Amino acid sequence: MARWYQCRREVNPPPDRSLKWRAARRRPLFMSSRELHNRLANAIRFLAIDAVEAANSGHPGLPMGAADMATVLFTEKLKFDATAPKWPDRDRFILSAGHGSMLLYGLLHLLGYDAVSMDEIRRFRQLGSLTPGHPENFVTPGIETTTGPLGQGISTAVGFAMAERLMAARFGSEIVDHRTVVIASDGDLMEGISQEAIDIAGHLKLAKLTVLWDDNRISIDGPTSISVSTDQQARFAASGWNTLAVDGHDPVALLAALNTAYASEKPTLIACRTTIGFGSPAKAGSEKVHGSPLGAAEIEATRKALGWEAGPFEIPADALDAWRAAGRKGAEARAAWQARFDALPEATRAEFNRRMAGELPVAALKEAIAAVKAKAVADGGAVATRKSSEIVLDTLTKAVPEMLGGSADLTGSNNTRAKGQKSVTPTDFSGDFVHWGVREHGMAAAMNGIALHGGFIPYSGTFLAFADYSRPAIRLAALMGERVIHVLTHDSIGLGEDGPTHQPVEHLAALRAIPNTLVLRPADTVETAECWQIALEAKDRPSCLILSRQNLPLLRKDADGENKSAGGAYELLAASGEAQVSLFATGSELSLAVEARALLESEGVPTRVVSVPSFELFLARPLAERRAVIGKAPAKVGIEAAIRMGWDSIIGSDAAFVGMTSFGASAPAKELYKHFGITPQAVVAAALEQLRQS
Amino acid sequence: MARWYQCRREVNPPPDRSLKWRAARRRPLFMSSRELHNRLANAIRFLAIDAVEAANSGHPGLPMGAADMATVLFTEKLKFDATAPKWPDRDRFILSAGHGSMLLYGLLHLLGYDAVSMDEIRRFRQLGSLTPGHPENFVTPGIETTTGPLGQGISTAVGFAMAERLMAARFGSEIVDHRTVVIASDGDLMEGISQEAIDIAGHLKLAKLTVLWDDNRISIDGPTSISVSTDQQARFAASGWNTLAVDGHDPVALLAALNTAYASEKPTLIACRTTIGFGSPAKAGSEKVHGSPLGAAEIEATRKALGWEAGPFEIPADALDAWRAAGRKGAEARAAWQARFDALPEATRAEFNRRMAGELPVAALKEAIAAVKAKAVADGGAVATRKSSEIVLDTLTKAVPEMLGGSADLTGSNNTRAKGQKSVTPTDFSGDFVHWGVREHGMAAAMNGIALHGGFIPYSGTFLAFADYSRPAIRLAALMGERVIHVLTHDSIGLGEDGPTHQPVEHLAALRAIPNTLVLRPADTVETAECWQIALEAKDRPSCLILSRQNLPLLRKDADGENKSAGGAYELLAASGEAQVSLFATGSELSLAVEARALLESEGVPTRVVSVPSFELFLARPLAERRAVIGKAPAKVGIEAAIRMGWDSIIGSDAAFVGMTSFGASAPAKELYKHFGITPQAVVAAALEQLRQS
């Protein structure tokens, strides 16, 4: 028997209808023949070739190599409807190797996603097009998540698959029953984050997660053998995955493998042996086809080799018809789903729709926040803001049931677990608290996936110093505009003895540097409640809640409805007369400012204190409002147990600053504040020096 | 036969001399009996218990659980001499689970490392002690690297093991023949970076690397089973490791396993099944003993359970004698090594000593830099600074043979491979270029290990946007004061079509935020050469070389000996008259400043241009010098295709800034500069507006 699919270099095999073409499947194959399959896959290949050539920039190698995988997936297995890109029960497809974006754009165009017209394909990588260099879900309908930084897609996919299980546990598998399918590259699997992701997925037995590994054995530097010797199947199996290996250009084998994967009770890796740049006579199987246009001559040669008669950006009618039919074939499933959904009780439907739309239960949220603030003022007393956060969460998670908590193995330290929260386990997804393990990066990426899937507002904790581990995923959340909430505790030298490896110094500045990210550093329980409200209401951006390990006094004694933190900065204490000094502080240093104010006032220097829980919110306000908060006192001092970077945008470069200029040290917290000169006395001295100079 | 070692809860078994105590070893055991072994291990345990109790802070669980492993290692296997902590051919021991620092301090004290006196043990976690909360190699003699952020130790260890092989390939195994041994925790193995590290180690067949996994099945949140299901032995085996599993409290089994590991041709993982807090009747085997003092009553109970008669901070004479003898037993090996070393040719000895001391070949370096600068000025023409860097490296790597290059699978894009460099392979470590694979984080940590080991100046490349992936390791390099050089190319929207996932916007600020880090952004080939010189000469800090993808004109036409970049900022072009405008720019934007100056001068506005290749170097200069460079022009404009954060420390918050305020976009570079308003015209407009306001 002709084993054509083993001859991967024979790029254009004769049509073969004698194959066990039907035996491998459970329902009628969409494509009627190997020949049609080839034409469908070649349509993807040539759209990628043509778009990259026109842009003179891009990555043809992956789309050409993965076209067979994608064709089988989208014509045979995935559940979707091109006319309804946001259908909640669609399968999610994630191209982790985002540089192969033309694979996605080609698919979306061929399947009939309206927005992705041929004009957009022609405008690949041009300003304002729907076809940017890497897939951007906030730009292009039909794209589930933004990929490009390797390892992120496969890890975000774990979040999608978790969200599906979590929603199914709440709304039933009649309404929530879809899969998450990933195409990942060698590079994705080399990134450490992928290990965190596959660990989590294996542990949680996310059976509806399938990863197709584009095993083309080529990386940018050359054959992967120059840097990789890992047996990937064995590695995934070690983490509890089902694994298979197939010829990635054999549609029958691919379909059979997918059928096996779908039947498994574990997540599945399918190692798909492919040829990068499949079809290009001179460049296939080489790193030369990874990230450069093929060039006119090689395109012509590829056209001949693959028997592709159509011109650039042309799709033969038979291929387009078949693709368009594939794009519509989910309509029936969607209609059936809609009927099941419509049969639900109205309250269930409303709750499902509310959660998928990311709308908050506004009244309950406001009530919860008000209650916490009132109780905090009534209780008084010193509390670490991480503990304040726990107090807030105890009430808030009941009012906002879509909140999904967690911690990177620091639950008791981050105080992220609210009363009554239940652990998510491999056999029970009705819980609302995730033990992420010591996997900050995988956690942050999975939280992105959970937010992107819809239905939950994920929040989770680690130490602020270890936000560095999650940083690439936090950045993606900001770029995508996703509401994920990072609870980052132990936020300064105030953590004490654990020393400089654990003491953030530059992390506040580094997080504030990321566009579209909210960095919230509350000073007491009232501000912590306000910051939680801000984070929840910030629908289109991630938030970082920066919380202290050490106890802090209650400074806000008002508990009325106003969220003062929402303005980013506000006057906490007015001066006794015309202000000579304005003190600006955040979080744990706000009480130092209050102490310094008392000392200055006692020396006859009228001093006001401004609390600055969020730079971003403050800097977004109109200049006049900002000026009013900054005030006109001749002396200004900023106070934060961190570096000055970023502060000048608030207080100006002429102001004084009391903070850190180096790494921290290991000692009890109080000694460290003294050692590094972050004391009320130092603030007073800085203020008086400023006054002298003014 | 009594299988006492299988009864891990029987914490104080009767002495058993009937074991196959001698059969398991190849040379006489240092300890004469299981009883003595127990006493030695208990000495570690009680130092940890007492120090944590006195500090009322710290982690007793790991030292108590890992004491048996450490005792066998240090009395039986490791090659070292407590009187010579810096002996170049010592074995390197790395406690990846740095929170168990008292294990290290206890060992160092017991072995007779002078500096770590009992007074220092008593001062555990106090300000200025030699015994900080986490191990800091720059504080405590005998500590090889700083650990604490999980995953870093095991990954840094890979660098140590690589450096050993690389040095052995250069100086012979008579002079370089030592091992790297790691104790790692569950948390270390959950961090994704550990996968990158074990991938690299397995690929390179680093047989002299041995990892003892403290498999205590407890994490902070509780049993590891709540978040981990991975078969770690299978996982390591998948990456080409030899793996073994033993009872981590059985010295005979441990010794046998270590002997097997030492004989293997692969790196070895020994899964050591242990009980966290071994010996504590009430807390052993529970997360309660991880990070809190035992408390007086439980200490007493532990004392009884382990039969430990000595008081707090007391070591019985027999145990101390035995430990001290263990500390000296390497003296003979060291003397033999010294004799072999002394027999080497003088030039070889000098070169070895120079490289291990981290001293540069000053004359050759200067000559190389001067030659590159002269040639650049003679050649003229526009060159991307990543290409400039390659030009520099072609000459520099010949002058400075300890430079060890590499790239995270972007060799051709980072331009980090110099002419004549040879790849390091599993069978040949005489090369000087490492294909790190798509493993930025593991690469950065391993580079730290290579620098710490001595003998090399590691440099390597990735895209600037992906510095986020390496950030935790870059931070550690800065904290430790290690000379590692990160070549970070594609440094702005100037990379063009790859779009916002790949376009750094906040990364310059975020890197400048890390204390003790040099961020160098040269503008042309001459500055690139100067920045390479700065990075090499910065012996006690990491450097980030920030380089463009796109071509940049040669702006520096002088090629004399002076390194103008070394001052951080300097006047590139003077104004035609008394300066009305000062333009400040870095890297690719310096040419925009030059163009803007021409426009302003043509409109009769005397304008000067200041190049700012390094904020850190500039801000370290005396105020008067800084003022002279900043000048007195009434209008100041900063220009950088990145966010403003950090710039105010140079130009002041009243100055104008032309740069980025959001993420980038996918389009050709020139269009993006226009789209985001980073043009000479925008600079002119900003300058004129400033003049109007002044």
Side-chain angles (χ1 to χ4, degrees), chain A residues 197-208:
Chain A
I198 70 169
D199 265 15
I200 295 167
H203 175 70
L204 291 176
K205 298 193 195 304
L206 299 176
K208 289 190 194 167

Side-chain angles (χ1 to χ4, degrees), chain B residues 137-383:
Chain B
N137 61 304
F138 51 95
V139 166
T140 317
I143 304 285
E144 301 289 357
T145 182
T146 295
T147 53
L150 290 171
Q152 296 293 331
I154 188 173
S155 311
T156 306
V158 170
F160 275 100
M162 287 174 69
E164 193 268 351
R165 293 286 71 209
L166 291 160
M167 281 297 272
R170 284 150 177 79
F171 292 92
S173 58
E174 290 285 293
I175 301 304
V176 184
D177 180 14
H178 52 267
R179 293 182 173 272
T180 306
V181 179
V182 178
I183 290 183
S185 64
D186 297 295
D188 286 304
L189 302 195
M190 279 192 261
E191 292 286 3
I193 187 176
S194 69
Q195 182 63 30
E196 301 183 21
I198 69 170
D199 265 15
I200 296 168
H203 174 70
L204 291 176
K205 297 192 194 304
L206 299 176
K208 288 190 194 167
L209 174 64
T210 305
V211 173
L212 285 81
W213 168 33
D214 181 28
D215 177 17
N216 62 29
R217 304 193 189 175
I218 290 296
S219 72
I220 291 177
D221 276 8
T224 51
S225 59
I226 66 173
S227 59
V228 189
S229 302
T230 297
D231 177 341
Q232 298 291 3
Q233 280 184 261
R235 173 187 163 209
F236 276 73
S239 289
W241 286 56
N242 176 36
T243 75
L244 300 162
V246 296
D247 182 326
H249 298 299
D250 176 356
V252 176
L254 282 164
L255 186 56
L258 285 165
N259 288 338
T260 304
Y262 276 35
S264 173
E265 288 177 357
K266 303 171 177 179
T268 300
L269 171 79
I270 307 176
C272 303
R273 185 70 181 88
T274 62
T275 300
I276 190 171
F278 182 95
S280 160
K283 296 186 174 176
S286 140
E287 66 274 17
K288 291 186 199 105
V289 76
H290 164 79
S292 310
L294 289 187
E298 187 60 17
I299 293 177
E300 231 8 77
T302 307
R303 207 177 284 283
K304 282 205 187 102
L306 293 177
W308 191 252
E309 75 285 4
F313 298 106
E314 281 176 27
I315 308 296
D318 62 326
L320 190 59
D321 287 351
W323 270 118
R324 290 287 153 91
R328 289 188 305 266
K329 77 185 163 41
E332 204 176 309
R334 185 165 72 92
W337 178 87
Q338 192 65 51
R340 292 196 301 277
F341 185 77
D342 292 342
L344 291 176
E346 190 181 336
T348 308
R349 275 184 283 139
E351 180 66 1
F352 182 90
N353 286 335
R354 180 186 74 74
R355 290 176 62 147
M356 289 303 290
E359 303 299 345
L360 290 167
V362 178
L365 166 62
K366 284 204 172 141
E367 201 177 308
I369 297 292
V372 172
K373 286 166 75 170
K375 184 161 188 319
V377 171
D379 287 354
V383 184

